[in-house]
Amino acid sequence: MACDLCPHRCGIDRLHDQTGRCGVGSQALLAAAEVHRGEEPPLITGAGSGTVFLAGCIARCRFCQNYQISLLRQGHPVTPENLADTFLFLQNQGCSNLNWVTPSPHLPFLLKALAMAMNRGCHLPVVYNCNGYMNVDIVTELDGIVDVYLPDMKYGEDVWAEKYSGLPEYSSINAGVVREMAKQVGALVIDSSGAALSGVLVRHLVLPGKIAGTARVLKTLASINPDIPISLMAQYRPCYEAVDDPVLGRCLYREEFEDAVELLALYGLTRAYVQSADALQLQDGYFPDFNRQPGKIFTGE
Ligand code: SF4
């Protein structure tokens, strides 16, 4: 059966273990499953987010911080039964959601596993944590299954998306995907305990040299739904193939991130999670800090 799960539409037969750009064949590749507290505050209530890191990726970001699992595909083949066991394990650990990281190439396996886990009592909200490069009809099919969409809006300009992440026509495809997600579940809804119940939360990593097209991304998001919260991230540091890149071979300058933060108000995006500028200082490792609550900077959350 020809795979057309994502916009690359490789057309190869994964059921017979051919692999396309994502490198995923007839089985899911599980890299790690853990209780994770390095996400935005609404995702880490309870014991934390039940992250399920899947190996392989439809993007080829030269600067990917997770390149060992995304590009080098360091993961173990697992059955849907194994995944269902994993979901229930995370629920038993007290996680407040199931956070599928880079799920798109694994979707058939994940859906089968989720049905199995639900039959065995799994009731956690599902977070679809992706790069925002999908076929809109796949998003439509996830209606009623995914509770929280957590897409990236990585680039505002296609030339950089193709050069640095191998994602042709990213900006228009991404806008259509986020629009469909918003139509389906609306902006992020948080319960009285602070936990994410449903809706869309967008992530955007600010890149050196304005490569991410932050202004255009924020303008697009505002045109889709300005109530959708955006997580603005400062944590970029060069790794993998970006180390020697003339543009991406350095960390962000403080002013670059501050300029991006100022744009939030310009485009009327009043719900935002702004990562601590301390993330700019870290050269050897990254520890995310989303404790800077948006309400202290903007109205909203
Ligand atoms: S999911 Fe993988 S094999 Fe299928 S179209 Fe996308 S990149 Fe190609």
Side-chain angles (χ1 to χ4, degrees):
M1 200 166 69
C3 185
D4 60 356
L5 261 182
C6 82
H8 290 310
R9 298 188 190 277
C10 298
I12 47 89
D13 186 356
R14 285 177 45 186
L15 292 180
H16 289 89
D17 243 1
Q18 292 179 344
T19 52
R21 287 175 67 100
C22 62
V24 181
S26 59
Q27 280 192 292
L29 295 174
L30 181 63
E34 61 191 29
V35 182
H36 191 49
R37 296 199 57 80
E39 308 280 38
E40 291 81 352
L43 300 176
I44 56 168
T45 55
S49 184
T51 41
V52 180
F53 289 97
L54 296 143
C57 187
I58 59 180
R60 297 212 174 143
C61 301
R62 293 193 195 176
F63 50 87
C64 183
Q65 292 182 359
N66 293 341
Y67 69 91
Q68 292 100 333
I69 61 174
S70 61
L71 298 170
L72 305 182
R73 293 192 287 283
Q74 294 176 1
H76 303 285
V78 287
T79 63
E81 289 82 0
N82 298 146
L83 283 173
D85 289 343
T86 303
F87 299 166
L88 288 160
F89 168 78
L90 292 168
Q91 179 169 289
N92 290 336
Q93 294 295 302
C95 292
S96 55
N97 52 61
L98 281 180
N99 185 347
W100 295 346
V101 185
T102 322
S104 295
H106 305 269
L107 204 45
F109 320 122
L110 289 166
L111 295 181
K112 202 167 177 184
L114 183 65
M116 289 175 177
M118 288 173 72
N119 279 337
R120 291 167 56 195
C122 185
H123 54 75
L124 293 179
V126 171
V127 178
Y128 199 89
N129 182 344
C130 68
N131 57 26
Y133 192 70
M134 298 174 69
N135 292 331
V136 170
D137 60 336
I138 297 290
V139 182
T140 306
E141 286 181 30
L142 293 173
D143 193 1
I145 298 170
V146 169
D147 298 281
V148 176
Y149 286 105
L150 185 59
D152 291 334
M153 291 183 79
K154 284 179 162 320
Y155 295 98
E157 293 183 35
D158 290 345
V159 62
W160 303 121
E162 184 144 13
K163 178 177 167 82
Y164 285 113
S165 294
L167 297 172
E169 299 177 64
Y170 179 85
S171 59
S172 58
I173 289 174
N174 178 246
V177 164
V178 175
R179 192 170 283 112
E180 175 62 25
M181 290 172 173
K183 192 172 108 190
Q184 204 177 95
V185 291
L188 189 72
V189 174
I190 297 170
D191 72 11
S192 57
S193 73
L197 287 181
S198 65
V200 183
L201 164 59
V202 164
R203 280 181 171 164
H204 178 72
L205 174 66
V206 182
L207 294 175
K210 300 192 175 176
I211 292 298
T214 301
R216 196 170 284 194
V217 163
L218 299 184
K219 189 174 179 186
T220 300
L221 179 61
S223 74
I224 294 171
N225 182 344
D227 291 331
I228 293 175
I230 183 159
S231 175
L232 202 62
M233 300 187 291
Q235 71 192 56
Y236 177 80
R237 65 187 173 91
C239 62
Y240 195 48
E241 294 175 350
V243 172
D244 297 321
D245 187 273
V247 179
L248 294 182
R250 64 165 172 88
C251 290
L252 269 186
Y253 297 138
R254 184 173 290 269
E255 311 83 67
E256 287 176 308
F257 189 65
E258 287 172 351
D259 287 350
V261 173
E262 282 181 16
L263 290 171
L264 292 169
L266 182 68
Y267 291 112
L269 295 166
T270 56
R271 297 179 72 187
Y273 297 95
V274 177
Q275 203 168 37
S276 166
D278 292 345
L280 295 164
Q281 311 297 323
L282 298 174
Q283 302 288 324
D284 300 323
Y286 167 65
F287 184 79
D289 177 10
F290 289 101
N291 290 329
R292 189 175 164 197
Q293 289 285 349
K296 295 174 188 168
I297 309 161
F298 305 101
T299 58
E301 297 293 342

